Amino acid sequence: MIRPTFRQSRRLFALASLAILAACSSQTPVSQQPAEPLGEFQLVHNIVVADEVQKVQPSRDVPADVWEKAMKDAVDARLGRYKGSQMYHLGIAVLGYSVAVPGVPLVLAPKSVVVVEATVWDNAKGGKINQEPRQFTVFESASPDLFIGSGITKNKDEQVANLAANVALQVEKWLRENEEWFAKRPGTEVAAQ
């Protein structure tokens, strides 16, 4: 029996890891994935503000309007899939970020991060469901460039889109943890789209 050397084992491990990460990155787009109902949740207004966002150095510069569009698009793609009979609104404030700059691979490979607050509004009751905004600190997804750093392998728009998609995922998980907010009420009707 031939035993692989340490160097060969390391190479095999690295190749297997890259294959797994590549498979993860080729998933079906969120908007095409089936959505398990989230109670009677239906997203009507998706409001994102980033007018007071703070940049934490080192970071690429990302204007407020870029954050707002990316977050709005990601939330629409993830939460716009739900077609419940009750209308809800979501407000997201982008508070701060650091979008990774090019670093030194394996030595200094900075990670991108964004901090947001989210609030859910019930259309029928005309008010907030969560009185205090829920804060999320969200990092970029693991990918083949994990050890290289996304500052080298991705452009700014790709980094922001990745962070926005991860924020939308975390918000969806939070809503699922509080699914009782979206329980069926008597007399509700499907909203016209």
Side-chain angles (χ1 to χ4, degrees):
M1 179 171 141
I2 299 173
R3 296 181 55 113
T5 66
F6 177 73
R7 180 176 280 168
Q8 290 170 329
S9 296
R10 235 175 47 193
R11 284 184 186 154
L12 287 173
F13 177 77
L15 287 173
S17 298
L18 286 174
I20 290 168
L21 290 171
C24 291
S25 65
S26 63
Q27 295 177 355
T28 306
V30 172
S31 59
Q32 297 174 11
Q33 294 174 6
E36 279 292 314
L38 180 55
E40 293 300 320
F41 179 87
Q42 181 179 142
L43 181 64
V44 178
H45 290 112
N46 168 15
I47 301 158
V48 179
V49 294
D51 50 352
E52 295 184 16
V53 66
Q54 298 289 314
K55 177 173 71 171
V56 178
Q57 296 291 358
S59 177
R60 290 178 165 170
D61 186 46
V62 182
D65 62 322
V66 172
W67 279 117
E68 290 169 0
K69 181 177 181 345
M71 289 288 176
K72 188 167 177 36
D73 290 350
V75 168
D76 280 341
R78 183 158 286 282
L79 298 176
R81 303 174 299 154
Y82 296 102
K83 302 298 179 194
S85 63
Q86 297 166 181
M87 298 183 292
Y88 297 90
H89 314 296
L90 185 63
I92 293 179
V94 184
L95 304 178
Y97 71 92
S98 179
V99 174
V101 297
V104 179
L106 301 176
V107 177
L108 178 63
K111 303 285 177 258
S112 298
V113 62
V114 65
V115 179
V116 304
E117 286 183 342
T119 304
V120 182
W121 295 71
D122 185 324
N123 189 70
K125 294 181 179 176
K128 297 178 186 178
I129 293 178
N130 59 308
Q131 294 306 310
E132 293 296 318
R134 171 67 190 271
Q135 190 171 98
F136 298 90
T137 300
V138 179
F139 291 87
E140 63 187 317
S141 298
S143 67
D145 53 48
L146 180 66
F147 297 109
I148 299 170
S150 66
I152 292 175
T153 60
K154 291 186 168 100
N155 66 40
K156 176 175 63 178
D157 292 337
E158 292 169 325
Q159 291 171 299
V160 170
N162 180 283
L163 287 168
N166 289 347
V167 166
L169 175 61
Q170 292 307 311
V171 169
E172 181 184 40
K173 287 179 179 178
W174 171 56
L175 297 181
R176 284 215 173 273
E177 291 167 5
N178 296 285
E179 201 163 335
E180 69 278 4
W181 290 347
F182 316 114
K184 177 85 171 160
R185 288 190 298 261
T188 55
E189 298 173 6
V190 176
Q193 291 291 321

